[in-house]
C-alpha cells in the first residue's frame, strides 16, 4: 500500500465523520487502526523466494485442489456457500499466498468422504491431519501447520486420569477415520472404542452418560463446552505423546509440492498464527453505522456477560489443569513416579552423565507370572501384589535412586553414579527381598531384572530398550534372575519368538 491511496482513504474518512453526527474521535480511531494494519498488509503480501525448479512447478500447477473436514469448527468446515472456513482455512490461505499458490476446495459431505477422495486422486491434498502409519501408505506430509495438545473429557463426577493405561472396562467415544481413533485402537486395547460421526456427537455421548470419556483438542475444549452448554463436563487428564500435529497430506508423487508448502509454513510467524487463532476463539465485535445507540448498549451488556462467563470457565479449567499437573506424574495405584514423570527428566539425566563421563545404569524389573496371579486370584489381589512389590523395592533402594512404575507389572530403577556391575548387585538384592516376602493370599512371588549401563551414543529410548531386551533374556532363561546388558546380546526378535512359547 503506497502513500497516495492511503492519503485518499484518510481524507474520505475524515470528510465522512465531519459531515455526519458521529464524534470525530471515532474517525481518528478508525484511521489509527488502518495505519497500524499497513505494516501487516505489507508483510502478508511478501512472498517466499523459490528455486527455479519450484517456480517452474507453480507455473505448471498454479492451483492446489484440497479436501477438508466439512464439520470440524472452529478448526475448519464448509459453510452454506461451499466455502472453506475456520482456523485451518485461514492458515492455509495465508500460507498459500506466501508461495503464490491458489487453493481450490473439493467439497465433500464428511471426513471419511474426504479420505476416500484423497485416495482416489480427486484432490491432491488433505488440509490438516495427523501423520499415521496407515495414512503414510498413500500420503506424504509437510511440517506441522498447527500443533495442539489433546485432553481427556469426562463428566464432572469422574476422577482425574493420571495414566490412561491404568483404565480398564471404560468406553471412549472417538470420531471414525481420525488419527486418534487409529492410534488408540492400536495402543490401548483395554479401552472399548465407540466410533462417532463427529467430535460433537462424541462430546454429547459423554454428556449423556452413554460413554465414559472422549478425547478433545485443548484449544477448543473450553470453547465447545461453554457454547454447547455442556456444563456437566470437565478436563480430566492428558495423554502425553498423543497431541495433534496437523500437517498437510499430499499425494506421494508430489515431492516438489511438499517442499514448496514447507517454505510457506516456515514463513508463517507466531504473530500471524495467533491473530488467526484469536479471530475464532475470542469474541468478534462487528460495528455498523446506526443512529440508535440502544443496540450498542445491548451488545455491550452481552459482551460483558460473555466475558464474565469466559473468565469463569478459564478459572475453572486453570484449577482443573493445575490439579492435573500435580497428579499426571504419579501412578495412582502404587504412588510411584509413573512413566511420563520419569520421561520428563530421563533424557536430561542421561545427557548430563554422558557429558561429565559419570556412570549411569537402569534396572528394568518385571513380576514373574503376574498374569497367573490375576487369573487365579483376581485383579484386586493382583493390585495388592503390585503395591507390596513397589513398597519393597522403594524401601531397599538408595536415596539417590529413582523408581517408577514403567507400565503394567514392570518397574524401572534409575541408578546415578552406578556402574553396570554395581547395578547388577543392587538388582540381586532387590530380587532377594521380594523372594523373602510373603504376599497375602498369593504366597511367594519372584521378579526378573535386566540391567543396562548408559553408553556414549545412547539416548533414553536406546538405553531403556537394551534394559528391556535383557529383561526378556532373564525371562527366557528361567525367570527369578538378573541379566546384564552385553554388546553381543541376541536380537530382541529371537528372544521374543522363543519366549512366546511359554506363558508370562
Amino acid at each position: 500500500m503506497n502513500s497516495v491511496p492511503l492519503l485518499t482513504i484518510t481524507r474520505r474518512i475524515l470528510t465522512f465523520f465531519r459531515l455526519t453526527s458521529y464524534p470525530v474521535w471515532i474517525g481518528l480511531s478508525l484511521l489509527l487502526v488502518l495505519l497500524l494494519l499497513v505494516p501487516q498488509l505489507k508483510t502478508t503480501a511478501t512472498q517466499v523466494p523459490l528455486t527455479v525448479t519450484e517456480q517452474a512447478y507453480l507455473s505448471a500447477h498454479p492451483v492446489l485442489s484440497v479436501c477438508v473436514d466439512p464439520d470440524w469448527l472452529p478448526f475448519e468446515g464448509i459453510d452454506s456457500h461451499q466455502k472453506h472456513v475456520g482456523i485451518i482455512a485461514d492458515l492455509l490461505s495465508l500460507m498459500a499466498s506466501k508461495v503464490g499458490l491458489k487453493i481450490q476446495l473439493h467439497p465433500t459431505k464428511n471426513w471419511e468422504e474426504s479420505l476416500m477422495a484423497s485416495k482416489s486422486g480427486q484432490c491432491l491434498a488433505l488440509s490438516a491431519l495427523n501423520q499415521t502409519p496407515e495414512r503414510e501408505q498413500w500420503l506424504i506430509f509437510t511440517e506441522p501447520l498447527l500443533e495442539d495438545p489433546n485432553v481427556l473429557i469426562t463428566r464432572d463426577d469422574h476422577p482425574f486420569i493420571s495414566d490412561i493405561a491404568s483404565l480398564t472396562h471404560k468406553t471412549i467415544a472417538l470420531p471414525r477415520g481420525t488419527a486418534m481413533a487409529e492410534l488408540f485402537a492400536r495402543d490401548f486395547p483395554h479401552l472399548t472404542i465407540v466410533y462417532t460421526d463427529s467430535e460433537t456427537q462424541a462430546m454429547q455421548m459423554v454428556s449423556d452418560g452413554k460413554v465414559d470419556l472422549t478425547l478433545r483438542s485443548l484449544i477448543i475444549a473450553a470453547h465447545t463446552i461453554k457454547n454447547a452448554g455442556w456444563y456437566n463436563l470437565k478436563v480430566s487428564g492428558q495423554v502425553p505423546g498423543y497431541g495433534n500435529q496437523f500437517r498437510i497430506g499430499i499425494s506421494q508423487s508430489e515431492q516438489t509440492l511438499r517442499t514448496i508448502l514447507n517454505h510457506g509454513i516456515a514463513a508463517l510467524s507466531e504473530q500471524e498464527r495467533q491473530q488467526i487463532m484469536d479471530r475464532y476463539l475470542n469474541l468478534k465485535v462487528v460495528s455498523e453505522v446506526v443512529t440508535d445507540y440502544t443496540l450498542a448498549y445491548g451488545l455491550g451488556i452481552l459482551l460483558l456477560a460473555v466475558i464474565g462467563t469466559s473468565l469463569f470457565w478459564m478459572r475453572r479449567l486453570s484449577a482443573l489443569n493445575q490439579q492435573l499437573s500435580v497428579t499426571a506424574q504419579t501412578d495412582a495405584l502404587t504412588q510411584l513416579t509413573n512413566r511420563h514423570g520419569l520421561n520428563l527428566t530421563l533424557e536430561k539425566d542421561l545427557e548430563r552423565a554422558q557429558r561429565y563421563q559419570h556412570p549411569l545404569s537402569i534396572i528394568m524389573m518385571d513380576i514373574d507370572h503376574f498374569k497367573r496371579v490375576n487369573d487365579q486370584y483376581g485383579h484386586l489381589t493382583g493390585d495388592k501384589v503390585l503395591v507390596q512389590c513397589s513398597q519393597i523395592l522403594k524401601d531397599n533402594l538408595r536415596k539417590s535412586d529413582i523408581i517408577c512404575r514403567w507400565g503394567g507389572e514392570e518397574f524401572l530403577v534409575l541408578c546415578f553414579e552406578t556402574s553396570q556391575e554395581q547395578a547388577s548387585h543392587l538388582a540381586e538384592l532387590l530380587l532377594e527381598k521380594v523372594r523373602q516376602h510373603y504376599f497375602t493370599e498369593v504366597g511367594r512371588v519372584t521378579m526378573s531384572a535386566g540391567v543396562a549401563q548408559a553408553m556414549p551414543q545412547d539416548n533414553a529410548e536406546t538405553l531403556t530398550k537394551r534394559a528391556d531386551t535383557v529383561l526378556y533374556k532373564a525371562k527366557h532363561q528361567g525367570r527369578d534372575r538378573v541379566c546384564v546388558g552385553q554388546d553381543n546380546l541376541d536380537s530382541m526378535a529371537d528372544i521374543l519368538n522363543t519366549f512366546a512359547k511359554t506363558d508370562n
Side-chain angles (χ1 to χ4, degrees):
M1 182 179 291
N2 54 43
S3 59
V4 176
L6 181 60
L7 182 60
T8 302
I9 293 172
T10 302
R11 288 172 177 168
R12 289 178 180 176
I13 291 174
L14 294 178
T15 301
F16 171 79
F17 280 92
R18 192 165 55 246
L19 296 177
T20 62
S21 60
Y22 288 98
V24 177
W25 66 267
I26 297 180
L28 294 175
S29 300
L30 182 60
L31 179 59
L32 178 60
V33 170
L34 179 64
L35 292 172
L36 291 174
L37 286 176
V38 169
Q40 297 178 16
L41 293 173
K42 289 182 178 179
T43 302
T44 303
T46 303
Q47 290 192 346
V48 175
L50 302 175
T51 65
V52 174
T53 302
E54 293 163 352
Q55 291 176 14
Y57 179 92
L58 289 179
S59 297
H61 309 88
V63 178
L64 174 62
S65 61
V66 176
C67 290
V68 307
D69 189 332
D71 184 22
W72 194 28
L73 292 173
F75 279 127
E76 65 176 353
I78 298 178
D79 65 11
S80 58
H81 303 290
Q82 296 296 291
K83 182 180 177 183
H84 188 203
V85 295
I87 295 171
I88 298 297
D90 288 3
L91 285 172
L92 200 63
S93 176
L94 179 58
M95 179 277 301
S97 71
K98 291 179 180 290
V99 295
L101 191 62
K102 182 179 179 181
I103 302 295
Q104 183 180 68
L105 175 66
H106 180 84
T108 57
K109 296 179 181 179
N110 52 53
W111 178 238
E112 285 185 303
E113 189 175 315
S114 292
L115 292 174
M116 294 302 297
S118 171
K119 290 180 180 179
S120 62
Q122 297 177 52
C123 55
L124 200 59
L126 288 165
S127 58
L129 71 170
N130 286 297
Q131 184 174 353
T132 69
E134 180 180 340
R135 293 168 177 176
E136 287 173 347
Q137 295 178 14
W138 86 94
L139 295 173
I140 54 176
F141 294 86
T142 66
E143 294 299 315
L145 181 66
L146 178 66
E147 297 189 32
D148 171 37
N150 279 317
V151 292
L152 296 169
I153 305 295
T154 68
R155 288 181 298 281
D156 201 45
D157 57 352
H158 195 284
F160 284 92
I161 303 169
S162 61
D163 182 8
I164 193 170
S166 65
L167 295 182
T168 55
H169 310 299
K170 296 290 186 179
T171 54
I172 181 169
L174 295 172
R176 61 172 56 87
T178 60
M180 292 303 114
E182 177 185 339
L183 295 175
F184 268 54
R186 182 194 69 187
D187 298 340
F188 301 107
H190 55 286
L191 292 177
T192 301
I193 299 178
V194 178
Y195 294 99
T196 65
D197 295 325
S198 67
E199 290 189 342
T200 301
Q201 183 183 358
M203 296 279 282
Q204 187 66 57
M205 291 184 72
V206 178
S207 180
D208 294 342
K210 295 179 180 178
V211 295
D212 296 302
L213 66 157
T214 186
L215 196 69
R216 185 72 169 175
S217 155
L218 177 62
I219 288 179
I220 61 173
H223 174 85
T224 306
I225 289 173
K226 176 171 69 68
N227 287 352
W230 285 317
Y231 299 114
N232 63 331
L233 302 184
K234 69 175 182 180
V235 176
S236 284
Q238 284 184 291
V239 190
Y242 291 83
N244 294 309
Q245 289 193 323
F246 297 128
R247 307 170 188 264
I248 304 173
I250 315 161
S251 298
Q252 288 185 338
S253 60
E254 301 297 327
Q255 297 286 344
T256 303
L257 174 60
R258 176 170 65 173
T259 303
I260 294 171
L261 295 178
N262 279 334
H263 290 326
I265 292 171
L268 294 174
S269 68
E270 286 303 317
Q271 182 182 7
E272 289 171 330
R273 294 175 188 269
Q274 193 59 50
Q275 286 174 349
I276 290 174
M277 297 290 292
D278 291 343
R279 191 180 305 158
Y280 289 91
L281 300 182
N282 291 340
L283 181 67
K284 298 183 289 185
V285 180
V286 181
S287 301
E288 58 179 284
V289 178
V290 292
T291 54
D292 186 357
Y293 289 99
T294 303
L295 178 60
Y297 293 144
L299 289 174
I301 295 172
L302 177 62
L303 174 62
L304 290 175
V306 172
I307 291 176
T309 305
S310 299
L311 289 174
F312 166 76
W313 277 102
M314 288 173 64
R315 289 186 62 184
R316 180 171 183 179
L317 285 174
S318 176
L320 292 174
N321 289 326
Q322 185 176 2
Q323 185 174 356
L324 169 65
S325 65
V326 173
T327 60
Q329 300 178 35
T330 304
D331 176 60
L333 178 65
T334 64
Q335 296 303 305
L336 297 177
T337 302
N338 61 20
R339 185 169 184 169
H340 169 62
L342 183 69
N343 281 336
L344 292 176
T345 60
L346 179 56
E347 197 72 55
K348 293 181 180 179
D349 290 334
L350 179 58
E351 290 176 358
R352 188 181 302 110
Q354 291 167 333
R355 183 184 307 118
Y356 297 107
Q357 298 182 355
H358 290 179
L360 182 144
S361 299
I362 64 172
I363 306 171
M364 190 78 75
M365 309 181 71
D366 182 274
I367 301 175
D368 296 330
H369 299 299
F370 187 70
K371 185 176 183 300
R372 292 183 185 175
V373 174
N374 281 332
D375 292 344
Q376 185 174 350
Y377 300 99
H379 288 277
L380 290 178
T381 299
D383 287 348
K384 292 178 182 178
V385 170
L386 284 171
V387 172
Q388 291 179 59
C389 273
S390 65
Q391 192 61 48
I392 293 169
L393 298 177
K394 184 178 179 181
D395 290 344
N396 290 278
L397 288 174
R398 303 166 300 183
K399 291 184 179 180
S400 61
D401 298 327
I402 296 176
I403 182 172
C404 85
R405 185 182 178 191
W406 191 247
E409 65 271 24
E410 282 191 329
F411 300 88
L412 186 146
V413 181
L414 181 61
C415 306
F416 297 97
E417 303 292 338
T418 305
S419 67
Q420 186 168 267
E421 182 180 1
Q422 293 169 327
S424 177
H425 291 320
L426 176 59
E428 293 283 6
L429 171 65
L430 295 174
L431 263 59
E432 180 60 27
K433 293 294 184 181
V434 173
R435 288 189 204 106
Q436 294 174 358
H437 184 79
Y438 182 83
F439 291 82
T440 307
E441 297 183 43
V442 177
R444 302 298 177 184
V445 171
T446 62
M447 298 186 73
S448 300
V451 178
Q453 181 175 344
M455 298 179 181
Q457 71 275 16
D458 267 329
N459 56 36
E461 181 180 357
T462 59
L463 177 59
T464 54
K465 184 176 181 180
R466 286 196 294 108
D468 196 48
T469 300
V470 290
L471 169 60
Y472 272 96
K473 185 176 181 181
K475 292 277 192 179
H476 173 58
Q477 292 180 353
R479 299 180 177 83
D480 191 20
R481 67 193 63 227
V482 176
C483 275
V484 178
Q486 300 173 5
D487 292 337
N488 60 347
L489 279 174
D490 296 335
S491 69
M492 184 65 173
D494 292 336
I495 295 172
L496 287 176
N497 286 338
T498 305
F499 183 67
K501 299 176 182 178
T502 62
D503 64 88
N504 190 36

